[in-house]
Amino acid sequence: MAARNRRRSVAQKRRQERVKVGLIGGVGCLVLLVVFWQVIWPYLVGGLVLVGGAGGGWWLWRTNWLVKGRDHQWRREDALKAGRRSLAEVDTMSGNEFEDFVVELCRRDGCTEVRRVGGSHDDGADVLGCLPDGRSMVIQCKRYSPKSRIPSHQVRDLLGARVHFKVDVAIFVTTTYFTGPSERTAVQNGVIAVHRDHLGLWNNGVPLLSLSELNGKGQGDRRHRARWKETYE
């Protein structure tokens, strides 16, 4: 029992000594801080400024990142509302949805009196309207698989629609490509042939009238056709 009491007494003395050492150390640090305040304070202020600057910089970076993220989302939503889609999304559209999509692109570019007339008895026309320069137009829309090709007789059908509706310009818009003969038929008869590559340009903001300058310029080089076959065949 006496031995246990002695051990407790020794432990208490050690704890008291540690408390005293801690108090002395704290007082000593406070005294040093007061004595050397003129020397220390610039470093303390500098440290606080650095910490505050780093925190402020991180906050600005995160805010900018969040704003850019929201801006990207808003732009994407605005693009969708404006009728822009990725070509992969366009490929999943029905025929009527694709015609509506083309109508939206025409209106975006300033075409007037644009309306969809496609149906079982459309006389070779899906969309009618007027170009921004006032010329009347007829559009044939074909949402085909990228593996398909537009044959010459469908271009000739559009030529017949141009005569039937007595319009100035005929435009053929498709999600695929034209055969060589059908593209030549279009160019020789003044039909604007908007194949898949041109549709991508139009969807991304290139005006419809600018596509007429690319008419008959080809449908991709040999490397482009090789990549196309790897993707779709």
Side-chain angles (χ1 to χ4, degrees), residues 23 33 77 81 159 184 191 219 226:
L23 289 173
L33 181 63
E77 292 174 354
K81 291 177 181 178
L159 290 172
R184 287 192 294 272
V191 174
Q219 303 177 88

Side-chain angles (χ1 to χ4, degrees), residues 213-226:
E213 301 175 5
L214 304 175
N215 200 34
K217 299 295 184 180
Q219 303 177 88
D221 56 19
R222 183 177 301 174
R223 184 179 303 175
H224 177 276
R225 289 192 293 271

Side-chain angles (χ1 to χ4, degrees), residues 45-99:
V45 173
L48 292 173
V49 170
L50 287 175
V51 172
W58 177 85
W59 180 82
L60 289 174
W61 173 85
R62 180 170 175 78
T63 301
N64 182 63
W65 179 77
L66 292 173
V67 169
K68 284 184 176 180
R70 295 192 187 101
D71 181 68
H72 177 74
Q73 182 179 356
W74 292 334
R75 286 177 182 273
R76 183 176 181 275
E77 292 174 354
D78 289 342
L80 294 177
K81 291 177 181 178
R84 291 174 56 184
R85 307 289 191 277
S86 69
L87 289 182
E89 291 175 303
V90 173
D91 287 335
T92 64
M93 291 180 178
S94 66
N96 289 341
E97 288 173 338
F98 181 59
E99 292 170 8

Side-chain angles (χ1 to χ4, degrees), residues 48-224:
L48 292 173
V49 170
L50 287 175
V51 172
W58 177 85
W59 180 82
L60 289 174
W61 173 85
R62 180 170 175 78
T63 301
N64 182 63
W65 179 77
L66 292 173
V67 169
K68 284 184 176 180
R70 295 192 187 101
D71 181 68
H72 177 74
Q73 182 179 356
W74 292 334
R75 286 177 182 273
R76 183 176 181 275
E77 292 174 354
D78 289 342
L80 294 177
K81 291 177 181 178
R84 291 174 56 184
R85 307 289 191 277
S86 69
L87 289 182
E89 291 175 303
V90 173
D91 287 335
T92 64
M93 291 180 178
S94 66
N96 289 341
E97 288 173 338
F98 181 59
E99 292 170 8
D100 290 334
F101 170 69
V102 171
V103 167
E104 291 172 354
L105 290 177
C106 290
R107 288 173 177 166
R108 182 204 69 188
D109 288 352
C111 297
T112 59
E113 302 178 20
V114 183
R115 62 193 185 280
R116 185 166 68 85
V117 295
S120 57
H121 302 288
D122 56 14
D123 294 314
D126 292 317
V127 177
L128 292 172
C130 293
L131 292 167
D133 59 11
R135 289 180 295 169
S136 57
M137 66 176 180
V138 59
I139 302 177
Q140 179 64 262
C141 305
K142 293 296 183 184
R143 194 217 56 77
Y144 285 166
S145 164
K147 294 182 180 180
S148 304
R149 286 290 187 273
I150 301 299
S152 296
H153 73 84
Q154 291 189 350
V155 177
R156 290 194 294 271
D157 290 343
L158 178 58
L159 290 172
R162 182 173 65 184
V163 174
H164 176 77
F165 289 99
K166 300 178 181 179
V167 298
D168 301 314
V169 180
I171 304 171
F172 201 118
V173 182
T174 180
T175 55
T176 185
Y177 298 95
F178 297 85
T179 63
S182 65
E183 185 180 41
R184 287 192 294 272
T185 299
V187 174
Q188 291 170 0
N189 291 277
V191 174
I192 300 176
V194 181
H195 55 68
R196 187 177 184 86
D197 296 341
H198 293 170
L199 177 61
L201 293 173
W202 190 19
N203 181 50
N204 287 330
V206 175
L208 176 58
L209 288 178
S210 297
L211 297 178
S212 63
E213 301 175 5
L214 304 175
N215 200 34
K217 299 295 184 180
Q219 303 177 88
D221 56 19
R222 183 177 301 174
R223 184 179 303 175
H224 177 276

